[in-house]
């Protein structure tokens, strides 16, 4: 009981209190030309629910352990979960998909709140930690929406070129893409069953005993009526010292599925989005697509 009491005390002291939603809205009001304001507001609302549940349940659990209130069945389940280093169901019900034990989950939540807080304090970052989004699909749609509204285009005709920025470290891109071109820089993606070859700029076989590795940053570049990789995309993905790019026979594109967590399964929401699957990301390869499919290569926003 003392261990759980101390953990509740620790969680209450380290986990931030919910952000003031009115302050967030006043600073980042709904704007036709900047959809990211709406994304931030939605993220704050979702994370606030998680923070409220944590603070309320920890306070109640401390009182129940001390004998000041009745230990309900929900609080007892939370007690057992915390004691076993697991995330309580009452927290998970309001949280994002997660496979981490409690200690790692709390650290992850703190990093996510730092990401949201820095966005609120300093404005939208140059590159986004996509793993920090509660609902990354809204962020990806808003990037397309910004591009479409600026150019008076139908948003459903806009898709992305996936340009790898493997010449910079994660989070080191401080400037946003040129507004004339649009899009966003993202980082925080892991790959299973392969590695990124920084010399050849393509997917490669993983090193021995290395199941997961990090992927470089990406530039999601909006393109209208995109049917195949554009010329700039191919030059970036298929570099050649002569200044040209190789034929399709020497390089292919692998459409790697991107998931939030490692289960590779999710529930389809009424909005049409999956609770786990995010999108397919195109990456350069020297092997045919079937090769990576048989190897089970996929990308993830969070590991165990």
């Amino acid at each position: 009981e003392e261990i759980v009491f101390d953990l509740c005390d620790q969680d209450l002291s380290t986990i931030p209190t919910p952000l003031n939603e009115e302050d967030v809205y006043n600073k980042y009001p709904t704007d036709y030309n900047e959809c990211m304001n709406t994304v931030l507001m939605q993220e704050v609302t979702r994370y606030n629910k998680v923070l409220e549940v944590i603070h309320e349940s920890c306070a109640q659990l401390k009182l129940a352990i001390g004998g000041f209130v009745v230990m309900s069945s929900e609080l007892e389940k939370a007690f057992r979960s915390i004691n076993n280093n697991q995330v309580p169901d009452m927290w998970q019900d309001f949280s994002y998909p997660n496979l981490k034990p409690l200690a790692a989950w709390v650290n992850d939540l703190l990093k996510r709140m730092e990401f949201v807080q820095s966005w609120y304090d300093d404005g939208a970052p140059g590159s986004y930690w996509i793993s920090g989004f509660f609902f990354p699909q809204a962020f990806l749609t808003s990037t397309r929406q910004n591009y479409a509204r600026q150019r008076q285009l139908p948003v459903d005709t806009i898709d992305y070129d996936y340009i790898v920025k493997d010449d910079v470290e994660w989070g080191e891109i401080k400037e946003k893409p040129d507004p004339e071109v649009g899009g966003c820089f993202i980082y925080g993606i892991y790959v299973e069953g392969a590695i990124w070859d920084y010399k050849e700029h393509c997917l490669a076989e993983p090193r021995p005993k290395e199941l997961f590795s990090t992927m470089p940053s990406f530039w999601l570049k909006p393109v209208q009526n995109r049917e195949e990789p554009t010329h700039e995309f191919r030059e970036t993905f298929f570099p050649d010292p002569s200044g040209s790019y190789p034929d399709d026979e020497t390089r292919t594109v692998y459409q790697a599925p991107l998931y939030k967590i490692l289960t590779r399964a999710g529930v389809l929401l009424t909005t049409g989005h999956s609770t786990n699957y995010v999108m397919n990301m195109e990456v350069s390869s020297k092997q045919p697509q079937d090769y990576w499919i048989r190897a089970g290569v996929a990308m993830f926003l969070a590991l165990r």
Side-chain angles (χ1 to χ4, degrees):
E1 288 186 354
E2 288 181 8
I3 294 172
V4 176
F5 190 93
D6 291 341
L7 286 172
C8 287
D9 243 2
Q10 184 181 329
D11 289 345
L12 284 174
S13 62
T14 57
I15 293 176
T17 54
L19 284 164
N20 188 311
E21 294 179 18
E22 189 175 343
D23 289 346
V24 176
Y25 184 80
N26 289 336
K27 190 172 182 181
Y28 298 97
T30 303
D31 185 346
Y32 178 84
N33 295 312
E34 186 45 85
C35 299
M36 286 302 166
N37 288 4
T38 304
V39 173
L40 176 60
M41 191 67 225
Q42 290 175 346
E43 290 293 305
V44 167
T45 303
R46 291 187 175 100
Y47 278 120
N48 275 356
K49 287 181 182 177
V50 182
L51 299 177
E52 285 167 5
V53 168
I54 293 172
H55 280 276
E56 185 178 339
S57 60
C58 280
Q60 286 295 312
L61 197 51
K62 284 173 64 180
L63 290 172
I65 292 171
F68 297 104
V69 297
V70 176
M71 177 77 80
S72 66
S73 58
E74 273 196 334
L75 287 177
E76 188 174 352
K77 285 180 184 176
F79 177 91
R80 294 182 188 279
S81 295
I82 293 172
N83 201 34
N84 295 327
N85 194 28
Q86 296 173 342
V87 181
D89 288 343
M90 62 166 59
W91 299 3
Q92 194 64 63
D93 288 345
F94 292 91
S95 181
Y96 40 87
N98 159 68
L99 296 175
K100 298 176 188 286
L102 179 60
W105 182 83
V106 170
N107 288 334
D108 180 56
L109 178 61
L110 292 176
K111 289 180 183 175
R112 287 167 178 260
M113 294 316 300
E114 283 176 14
F115 169 65
V116 173
Q117 185 70 49
S118 65
W119 187 346
Y120 170 72
D121 291 339
D122 308 323
S127 58
Y128 293 88
W129 181 40
I130 191 169
S131 307
F133 283 97
F134 200 114
F135 189 56
Q137 289 94 334
F139 161 71
L140 297 168
T141 301
S142 292
T143 302
R144 282 196 291 265
Q145 189 88 333
N146 275 344
Y147 180 86
R149 286 179 173 179
Q150 287 166 6
R151 291 158 182 79
Q152 299 295 302
L153 302 171
V155 70
D156 58 354
T157 65
I158 308 299
D159 207 343
Y160 289 124
D161 274 346
Y162 301 87
I163 300 176
V164 176
K165 306 292 289 182
D166 57 9
D167 56 338
V168 290
E169 295 292 327
W170 270 19
E172 288 300 305
I173 302 175
K174 303 302 181 187
E175 297 295 327
K176 297 178 185 178
D178 185 341
E180 293 298 315
V181 183
C184 63
F185 297 118
I186 61 169
Y187 66 97
I189 295 173
Y190 303 88
V191 62
E192 179 181 13
I195 61 170
W196 183 255
D197 188 327
Y198 284 81
K199 290 183 179 178
E200 295 293 328
H201 307 283
C202 65
L203 275 186
E205 288 288 337
R207 289 175 283 268
K209 299 182 180 180
E210 185 177 20
L211 186 57
F212 302 100
S213 63
T214 57
M215 286 295 290
S217 298
F218 282 85
W219 175 20
L220 303 183
K221 179 184 174 186
V223 179
Q224 188 184 23
N225 298 326
R226 179 182 184 273
E227 295 181 4
E228 59 183 25
T230 58
H231 183 70
E232 299 93 326
F233 170 85
R234 291 176 52 138
E235 284 183 331
T236 307
F237 266 54
F238 312 147
D240 187 85
S242 65
S244 61
Y245 51 86
D247 296 330
D248 285 344
E249 295 174 6
T250 57
R251 289 289 180 101
T252 59
V253 170
Y254 174 52
Q255 292 200 349
L258 176 65
Y259 299 96
K260 295 178 186 177
I261 54 175
L262 298 177
T263 52
R264 303 196 186 205
V267 178
L268 198 64
L269 302 173
T270 53
T271 58
H273 297 97
S274 168
T275 54
N276 190 21
Y277 172 77
V278 180
M279 63 178 173
N280 279 1
M281 297 194 67
E282 297 174 353
V283 288
S284 172
S285 164
K286 288 186 175 181
Q287 304 286 354
Q289 178 148 290
D290 287 350
Y291 179 87
W292 299 114
I293 292 173
R294 287 195 297 271
V297 174
M299 296 184 191
F300 303 92
L301 299 181
L303 305 179
R304 288 188 190 277

